[in-house]
Structure formats: structure tokens, C-alpha cells
Amino acid sequence: MIGDFLERMLTRCPWHLRAMGYLREAIGIRGRYRRCQQHWQSHIDHCHQIIRQAIGRCAKRRTAVVLGAGLLHDVPLVELSRSFQKILLVDIVHPFWSRWQTRRFKNVQRVSADVSNIVEELFWVSDEPDKPLPKSKPDLFLDRTDIDLTISINLLSQLPCMPMGYLVWHGAHTPEEIDAFARDVMQAHLDYLERLPGKVVLITDIERIKIDLSNRIVEVTDLLFGLKLPKAGEEWEWKLAPCPEADPRHHFYRRVVGIADF
Ligand SMILES: C[S@@+](CC[C@H](N)C(=O)[O-])C[C@H]1O[C@@H](n2cnc3c(N)ncnc32)[C@H](O)[C@@H]1O
């Protein structure tokens, strides 16, 4: 495995995405996975199981799309690659190491795209208080007729994260404007998933849970800013950052929902 410095040098990433922290975040996820792998396993098993259920429901198996593929920790790529003619792995940044690991999968292609279709526009207006924040209008693959399965994997709550951080850093917009922006981006993603052809899987974290060392929940944060998912699904806990990963006195876990037939 290559080091973080090499990864940063070898990963193709436009400068506005680097400036907004997307590459740093991708490399950060890789490091956290390495440190917390054992604690993440049950989350990864749940993700794989939900995706397997969805594969089993697909009568046609031409193209499968994975939105938020990233480092592929949570994606059963071997099974997807055996089951479908073509797999499109979509992410705003594809770290070099992840590209390298999948180079031998002949039917797997990487697509570098902003699923929310808003990030570059936001980059240019984020320091201008008088300009309204752009509206997310996702349209990736809506014109394709060969897609039989789309998996949105641990992406929904991440879509507004880096843009929000960037907006807060510029300080040109109010917290209310920024929260409304986050809600809008996530609602646009849910609407987009409903318009895609074929079967759709949604796996997303919905709550951040802060737990003290006596296993008492001290704080629960709604990661969807009040949005409700249109369907129920299976729920589980993701031990994302067990103490002392993010804090010397607390664990930070996530409540995750997996909907095999969104
Ligand atoms: C929590 S990670 C998902 C986990 C990932 N499947 C893995 O195993 O590493 C969220 C992913 O969403 C991607 N992402 C964030 N915003 C995005 C956007 N606007 N368009 C496409 N991908 C985005 C990130 O680059 C990251 O890879």
C-alpha cells in the first residue's frame, strides 16, 4: 500500500476539489479504515448483504452503477462484476490506490463526476453573500436505458458535507442558509434516485451518535437535517470512530439505513 503523500500526488483531482478538501477527505477515509477495520466489519457485511439482495432482484443484468464508490470498502465488487455486463463506479474523486486495485476488472469503469451537479458552481459563489446558493439538479445517467441497478452507497449525508465546510470557512452565508442548502442537496439526491431506471439501493448514515466510555449516549445528531426517507429499511450501527479515533473520551458511531429496493 502506498503512503498518503504518494496517493495525493498520483490521484487525479481538479484543483477546486482539492481546495474544497475532497482529496484530503478521501485519504482520511483510507487511514480511518486501516485503523478501525475490525470495528467497521459488521457495517461492511450489512452493506454487502443489502447489495446482494438487490442483485438477486435484478431480472436484467446489463449495467450496474455505484454512486459514492470511493475506496470500495463497502462494495462487493467481485460479485457485482460477475453478475453484470458492466459496472460504472462513480465518485467525485477516485484515489489512485483504489484505481490500481481494480485495474484487472475488465468490465469495471470509473466515472469521475459530481453526483449532486453543484460543487463547481458552489465553489465560485461561496464567498459572495449576495448571490443565492445554487440548486442541486442531478441528471447523471438519467438518459441511459441500459442501467438495471444503481447503488447509492454511504453518499447521501456526504453530499453537502464538503460544500458546507467550505461555506462555513468563507463565512458569507448564515447558518440557516447553509442548513437549507444541505437539505436541498439531499432532497435532490432522493428525488434523483426515484427517477433512475432499474432497481435502486440506498445505503446511508442517518444519525451521528456520541457515546461516553460508560456506553451512555450523550448526543444524537440528525445527519439528514430533518429530511425523512420515503421508505423504511434495515437499520444498524456503524462503529465509525471508536475511542480514541476521533476523541479521547467518546466513541462516534453512526446509525445507518439500508434499503434494498428504494
Ligand atoms: C463515506 S464515503 C463512501 C464510502 C466509500 N464507498 C468507501 O468505501 O470508501 C463517501 C464518498 O462519496 C464521495 N462523494 C462526496 N461527494 C460527492 C459528490 N458530490 N459526487 C460524487 N461523489 C461524492 C466521496 O468522494 C467519498 O468517496
Side-chain angles (χ1 to χ4, degrees):
M1 180 164 305
I2 61 173
D4 291 355
F5 175 74
L6 258 186
E7 179 87 64
R8 210 167 288 133
M9 299 299 289
L10 293 171
T11 298
R12 271 177 261 154
C13 181
W15 69 270
H16 72 278
L17 297 181
R18 283 184 191 247
M20 290 177 80
Y22 281 94
L23 181 57
R24 191 183 55 238
E25 180 71 9
I27 291 171
I29 293 174
R30 193 180 74 145
R32 176 160 290 176
Y33 172 73
R34 259 188 265 148
R35 292 186 297 274
C36 306
Q37 190 169 358
Q38 184 197 334
H39 299 276
W40 285 25
Q41 196 54 50
S42 106
H43 164 65
I44 289 172
D45 291 344
H46 272 105
C47 294
H48 286 200
Q49 179 229 321
I50 296 274
I51 294 169
R52 274 186 209 118
Q53 275 179 38
I55 295 174
R57 289 183 184 156
C58 289
K60 286 195 203 161
R61 297 182 182 182
R62 291 167 300 170
T63 302
V65 174
V66 182
L67 304 173
L71 294 148
L72 295 167
H73 300 125
D74 40 22
V75 180
L77 189 62
V78 173
E79 279 165 83
L80 277 173
S81 162
R82 284 187 188 141
S83 307
F84 285 83
Q85 289 168 19
K86 190 188 281 183
I87 317 295
L88 302 176
L89 300 178
V90 181
D91 205 285
I92 200 161
V93 180
H94 293 280
F96 173 80
W97 179 245
S98 183
R99 278 185 192 273
W100 181 254
Q101 282 182 307
T102 53
R103 69 194 182 285
R104 295 214 173 87
F105 288 84
K106 296 285 177 249
N107 61 344
V108 170
Q109 281 174 25
R110 299 259 175 184
V111 179
S112 296
D114 163 19
V115 176
S116 64
N117 207 5
I118 207 173
V119 172
E120 188 164 6
E121 198 182 340
L122 182 98
F123 175 76
W124 292 110
V125 300
S126 48
D127 59 347
E128 300 202 39
D130 300 332
K131 289 232 170 102
L133 291 173
K135 293 259 176 221
S136 173
K137 293 193 181 74
D139 59 3
L140 191 68
F141 304 138
L142 286 177
D143 56 349
R144 296 267 299 243
T145 53
D146 60 324
I147 292 176
D148 296 315
L149 177 64
T150 300
I151 302 156
S152 170
I153 180 97
N154 294 306
L155 171 69
L156 177 70
S157 69
Q158 294 298 303
L159 286 173
C161 272
M162 307 313 285
M164 283 174 82
Y166 201 62
L167 287 170
V168 169
W169 182 69
H170 274 299
H173 294 88
T174 64
E176 291 74 26
E177 284 173 317
I178 296 175
D179 285 3
F181 166 81
R183 248 190 317 275
D184 186 66
V185 170
M186 289 188 283
Q187 184 62 58
H189 187 67
L190 295 174
D191 296 343
Y192 163 68
L193 294 182
E194 288 188 341
R195 289 161 64 211
L196 281 164
K199 302 273 183 212
V200 172
V201 174
L202 173 66
I203 298 176
T204 180
D205 47 3
I206 53 172
E207 284 175 352
R208 180 193 302 118
I209 308 166
K210 183 176 176 182
I211 301 173
D212 69 15
L213 294 182
S214 56
N215 269 340
R216 203 170 49 95
I217 295 177
V218 289
E219 196 178 288
V220 177
T221 310
D222 174 12
L223 296 173
L224 302 188
F225 291 80
L227 282 187
K228 295 283 168 254
L229 297 178
K231 277 191 173 179
E234 198 181 313
E235 294 198 14
W236 64 90
E237 191 175 68
W238 176 8
K239 293 184 164 45
L240 177 71
C243 176
E245 172 66 20
D247 181 305
R249 288 193 298 276
H250 296 95
H251 310 290
F252 282 90
Y253 294 166
R254 298 286 165 99
R255 177 138 298 277
V256 180
V257 172
I259 306 171
D261 192 3
F262 183 75

